[in-house]
Amino acid sequence: MRFTTEVTIAPEIPRKWLKDRRSPLVVIVGPTGSGKSDLAVSLAEVLRGEIVNFDSVQLYRGLDVGSAKLQIAERRGIPHHMIDVAEPAIELTAGAYARMARPLLRQIAATGAIPILVGGTGFYLRALLDGLSPAPQRDEALRLRLADLARRRPKILHRYLSYWDGAAAGRIHPNDHQKLIRAIELMRLAGRRASEVQDQPRERLEGFAVYKIGLAPDRCALYERINRRTVAMFERGLVDETEALLRAGVPSSSKALRSLGYRQALQYLRGDLSREAAVAECQLRTRQYAKRQLTWFRADTEVAWLPGFGTDSRVRTAAVEKCRQIV
């Protein structure tokens, strides 16, 4: 997949946004390493904005190096929200994230500031803006049994789902055990196909005029930046941070420690990989993740794409000009 170097112009911003009572809401998307956080801070300074994170790893306390959280000084006095809001031993789901973030967006807008959503976890953004289908809550005992089955027979979950709900199985990669477990869980708890449960009407976020900006740097330049950033993370103490989380009682099986960087640090600590191999593995997996992010966000026709990194002055200028149309 090639990253475009051309600007994709989104549909004209409806002028009714300036006349109705909806509050402006800016969203910045793009692959990991594209400079989304830097662009968000620059926009917030110009637009009197406050930043709301939708990166699923930055939600967790103690996961600083591996999630590339901006340090306090780098935030330049701009309020940042939805960072360090969850304990790493407990999974914060997309639904829980949306329930926390929606009232926060309204609180920010009520002060006259502009919420600026920034992150790379597309599913969490979708849950926030579009809502999730009404569905049963999690059954932890069932999930543990399914996870154990998947470890012993990696292909069995997809085969099972294909037999009982081909539509749901067609949407999920055979190796994506997390989504397969959720689909089977929905079937067992709701008593009907997961695809039927997931196709129920969703409750969209109301009261906001949403404008989305995407960052699409050159692919080779992005991969070089990802490689350098991965090396820097290990040099800045990613392994020490992972060890500290384990000593604090965070299970190695937790979602937080299965994320990119921490997973490879765990493999190094266990002796499964050398340090050099762990770095190389992390670089590879992060590049692959960046491609998946682009695929996800490219499917959203509402995104106005800008070629380059969020640290580029010309990209910042273009983003400011676009955002000024709605404020």
Side-chain angles (χ1 to χ4, degrees):
M1 177 180 178
R2 296 189 64 81
F3 295 0
T4 183
T5 56
E6 298 178 356
V7 177
T8 302
I9 304 298
E12 285 296 319
I13 300 171
R15 290 299 165 189
K16 66 180 181 179
W17 286 9
L18 304 179
K19 300 177 182 178
D20 65 21
R21 294 175 178 267
R22 288 188 289 170
S23 302
L25 173 61
V26 176
V27 182
I28 302 174
V29 302
T32 184
S34 60
K36 298 183 296 293
S37 297
D38 296 285
L39 178 60
V41 170
S42 296
L43 286 179
E45 289 180 318
V46 174
L47 303 176
R48 196 200 156 200
E50 297 191 16
I51 294 170
V52 181
N53 163 63
F54 67 90
D55 179 282
S56 63
V57 185
Q58 292 193 9
L59 296 169
Y60 295 107
R61 301 184 186 96
L63 277 73
D64 302 326
V65 176
S67 68
K69 291 175 187 171
L70 289 184
Q71 298 181 7
I72 298 300
E74 295 173 312
R75 300 177 190 180
R76 303 205 290 269
I78 302 298
H80 281 61
H81 306 276
M82 296 304 292
I83 293 176
D84 297 335
V85 296
E87 294 299 331
I90 302 173
E91 179 179 352
L92 185 66
T93 65
Y97 166 81
R99 288 190 292 273
M100 295 173 67
R102 283 190 172 190
L104 175 61
L105 294 178
R106 297 187 180 99
Q107 292 170 15
I108 294 171
T111 68
I114 296 177
I116 301 176
L117 283 163
V118 59
T121 309
F123 187 58
Y124 280 55
L125 178 64
R126 176 183 291 177
L128 176 58
L129 299 182
D130 299 334
L132 296 174
S133 298
Q137 296 297 312
R138 295 156 60 97
D139 183 326
E140 296 300 336
L142 173 60
R143 294 175 73 88
L144 287 173
R145 290 198 301 272
L146 292 172
D148 179 65
L149 182 61
R151 281 191 294 271
R152 291 184 284 110
R153 302 176 63 187
K155 303 297 183 183
I156 192 64
L157 296 187
H158 196 263
R159 291 174 185 167
Y160 179 89
L161 188 61
S162 298
Y163 182 83
W164 291 104
D165 188 352
R171 301 173 184 172
I172 304 173
H173 191 281
N175 294 333
D176 193 339
H177 292 163
Q178 183 175 344
K179 290 182 181 178
L180 289 169
I181 287 173
R182 179 55 176 164
I184 296 171
E185 179 184 49
L186 288 178
M187 281 199 309
R188 297 290 298 272
L189 298 181
R192 52 181 172 154
R193 292 183 179 91
S195 54
E196 295 174 356
V197 176
Q198 293 166 336
D199 288 341
Q200 292 181 85
R202 304 165 186 264
E203 184 180 346
R204 294 179 59 87
L205 176 69
E206 300 292 343
F208 288 92
V210 181
Y211 188 58
K212 302 173 184 176
I213 294 174
L215 293 175
D218 173 76
R219 178 174 59 178
C220 292
L222 176 65
Y223 285 0
E224 289 175 4
R225 178 176 286 198
I226 286 172
N227 289 342
R228 291 195 304 270
R229 190 173 75 166
T230 301
V231 172
M233 286 194 312
F234 275 82
E235 290 177 346
R236 290 201 305 267
L238 176 61
V239 173
D240 291 340
E241 185 172 86
T242 305
E243 274 191 305
L245 291 165
L246 292 172
R247 287 197 302 270
V250 179
S252 60
S253 60
S254 65
K255 182 180 179 181
L257 290 184
R258 294 199 310 269
S259 59
L260 281 169
Y262 296 99
R263 181 184 303 173
Q264 287 74 36
L266 278 172
Q267 290 175 299
Y268 167 67
L269 289 170
R270 290 170 178 161
D272 298 332
L273 293 175
S274 67
R275 185 182 179 93
E276 294 75 14
V279 171
E281 173 73 7
C282 186
Q283 290 171 330
L284 172 63
R285 299 303 179 189
T286 306
R287 294 194 302 267
Q288 293 173 338
Y289 178 54
K291 291 179 67 174
R292 293 196 299 273
Q293 287 176 302
L294 261 296
T295 299
W296 177 287
F297 291 122
R298 285 288 186 195
D300 188 343
T301 58
E302 296 179 351
V303 177
W305 290 96
L306 298 174
F309 293 97
T311 51
D312 296 346
S313 59
R314 61 188 178 85
V315 170
R316 292 181 177 182
T317 299
V320 168
E321 290 304 313
K322 288 180 179 295
C323 290
R324 277 181 169 156
Q325 296 178 63
I326 63 169
V327 299

